[in-house]
Amino acid sequence: MQFLESIGVALKSLIANKLRSILTLIGVIIGVMTVIAVVSIIAGMNKYVADQISSLGSTTFFVDAGWRTIMSEEDYLKVLKRKEFTLQDMEAVKKGCPLCWKVGAEMVAYRKVKYREKYLSDVEIDGSTANITEISDINLSSGRYPSEFENLHNRRVALIGWEVADNLFPGQDPLEKDIKIGNYYFRVVGVAEKRGTFLGISQDNFVMIPITTFNKLFGTKRFLAIFVKVESFGSMQEAQDQVRLVLRARRHVPYDKPDDFAIMTSDTFMELYRNFTSTAFIVMIGVSSIALVVGGIVIMNIMLVSVTERTREIGIRKAVGAKKKNILWQFLVEAVTVALVGGLIGVILGSIIAKIVAATTPLPAAIEAWSVITGLIIATSVGLFFGIFPAVKAAKLDPIACLRYE
Amino acid sequence: MIKTQNLWKIYEIGNEKVQVQALRGVDLEVEKGEYLAIMGPSGSGKSTLMNLIGCLDTPTQGEYYLNSRLVSQMNDDELAFIRNKEIGFVFQTFNLLPRATALHNVELPLIYNGTESKERIQKAKKALEMVDLTDRITHKPNELSGGERQRVAIARAIVNNPSLILADEPTGNLDTATGAEIMKLVDRLHSEGNTIILITHEADIAAHAHRAIHLRDGKIEQDEKVK
Ligand SMILES: Nc1ncnc2c1ncn2[C@@H]1O[C@H](COP(=O)(O)OP(=O)(O)OP(=O)(O)O)[C@@H](O)[C@H]1O
Ligand SMILES: [Mg+2]
């Protein structure tokens, strides 16, 4: 009863003084809003990235000169100076790594792709060994993969991504049609299943052709990545060590120098991604804790004013039998109610922001129950922490002094 | 029912060692069912004595027994318990919660002894009926006249069936006619068996009581039967 009464008093005075309430609550609102928005966006990304990265599989790794792990301009300049991998390197890995079950390679270029008068510019052209489809999963929606035979004889066949098919062949079957990649015609033999977008980049805007054909038509000086699949997760580490040994020898890396290439597993990407999100988390914690402390101090101030304004009320309550703890609870509940209202508004605004971000940018968002609960717990704690001092002050007041108070 | 022995109250003002001896050795006994007026000039210590009797304050020296319990050494929360159970206050300035309805104001003492909401409302309504305010229960203090406010305060004082009703100048803020009405109500409470202590300047108000004590400079100067 006392609880309900105190909550009522808090809500009534919040409604009665709207402007003051907004000013009172703004700190808590911003604090909780930041938490909810950032946590929702990061949670959304986590889900998405984990999905994407795990599609690489736990028994697969790949090696490149370092392009995929560039985090700074410095990295970039370093990688730029490195020697690119070649198909000979891939062959060497095949020989020198008995634990490598399947070894493939992929090169990448960007070209215009055309069918009759329809075309897409800057399509990712992947020159791949035939076994790449067994190493990293690309599922077919129709047709077949380019074969080993076609690879050996650098045939001009292509597996096209869903988006390419959709754009060049609306309402048509692309199979056995001839598309033009750069200046060369290729026959479409397969269409891949839709894969969606990753951080705003379409995963379906690609054409896969045999790597030998790629070498012949688009040159050999392209980023080449060597893909390796091992038979079981247990041999991942050892296989990587074997590959490292082979490649360091071929690239003449002195024993006391680090690798001049990068070996990547799904864990590597997870790691990179975590580094990125932990930065976001730190920024969030900074912004929200400043806002929450400011918000808490404002609440404390408002509660002190409220205690003074209601000195007589405190006297009356004490005269009719309120104990210290009754008064303490009354003002604590009030402070927590105020903070919780701020927290609720923060949760709502934070969710709206997360939704807007998800709708207008490539970033996904997932509003999770635990983040909402965390937001409300944070608000409650702010209310309790900053409400305790005014409440104790109120509880300690002398009843006679209060009754005399003008 | 009330017994005080050599009650002293000394106020210390500020950090200078100025002392005000508001009560200087008061011995007072009040029996159950008495109707007592405390009189005396301004500053003689009437309100101070009432605060002690009402357990709002503790004496600097001396002993106070209420219903044979030694009150003068209790802590704040024990005093709060006694106030809730044994004492009903009526103040000159009414002291109602400004934002609460008449009903809620009367409920207040019951809230602090944990009475359930149904019973509480029932008891509060009954107390308001006793003071003839059945049709004003949802009014806030600023929607009530002075006399009605004091009646709400009286209802609050009696709602918990206290053993003692303390009234500090209950008619001080009211005009003569309204004051007379309030005194009629106080008389009625007495006739229903309540013990009443009434503080007043005015002789004709004090005349309602059956016994009057006169304070002067913190001491009982005179203790007389009134009739
Ligand atoms: N909290 C206090 N601090 C210091 N002195 C006080 C305090 N309360 C009362 N006094 C002093 O104690 C004396 C008695 O005061 P009290 O309020 O009991 O008088 P009273 O008889 O009720 O007077 P009145 O008829 O004007 O209400 C006065 O001199 C007053 O100034
Ligand atoms: Mg007085």
Side-chain angles (χ1 to χ4, degrees), chain A residues 2 318 321-331 391-392 394-397, chain B residues 75-77 80 83:
Chain A
Q2 243 225 297
K318 288 197 160 194
K323 297 193 173 122
K324 277 189 184 141
K325 64 161 198 239
N326 298 127
I327 303 293
L328 184 90
W329 272 111
Q330 181 186 340
F331 283 93
V392 166
K396 276 191 186 158
L397 287 175
Chain B
N75 69 26
D76 291 351
D77 281 351
R83 286 198 294 273

Side-chain angles (χ1 to χ4, degrees), chain A residues 208-251:
Chain A
M208 184 188 280
I209 60 174
I211 194 164
T212 48
T213 321
F214 185 100
N215 264 332
K216 210 173 135 204
L217 301 181
F218 305 119
T220 51
K221 293 226 175 307
R222 296 282 168 184
F223 317 136
L224 182 138
I226 299 169
F227 283 72
V228 177
K229 196 175 180 74
V230 295
E231 249 170 318
S232 74
F233 181 70
S235 50
M236 271 290 269
Q237 195 53 53
E238 223 177 314
Q240 285 174 46
D241 291 342
Q242 290 177 351
V243 170
R244 180 171 284 121
L245 218 63
V246 171
L247 293 178
R248 284 177 70 95
R250 280 184 67 83
R251 292 163 79 89

Side-chain angles (χ1 to χ4, degrees), chain A residues 5 310 312 317-318 320, chain B residues 83-84 93 95 104 112:
Chain A
E5 196 194 343
R310 284 149 63 196
R312 223 180 154 83
R317 288 177 182 276
K318 288 197 160 194
V320 301
Chain B
R83 286 198 294 273
N84 182 268
T93 51
N95 279 335
H104 188 84
Y112 292 116

Side-chain angles (χ1 to χ4, degrees), chain A residues 70-83:
Chain A
I70 289 172
M71 294 292 274
S72 63
E73 199 182 330
E74 207 181 324
D75 285 354
Y76 175 74
L77 294 175
K78 205 162 64 190
V79 172
L80 206 57
K81 282 194 225 124
R82 288 176 178 168
K83 204 162 36 171

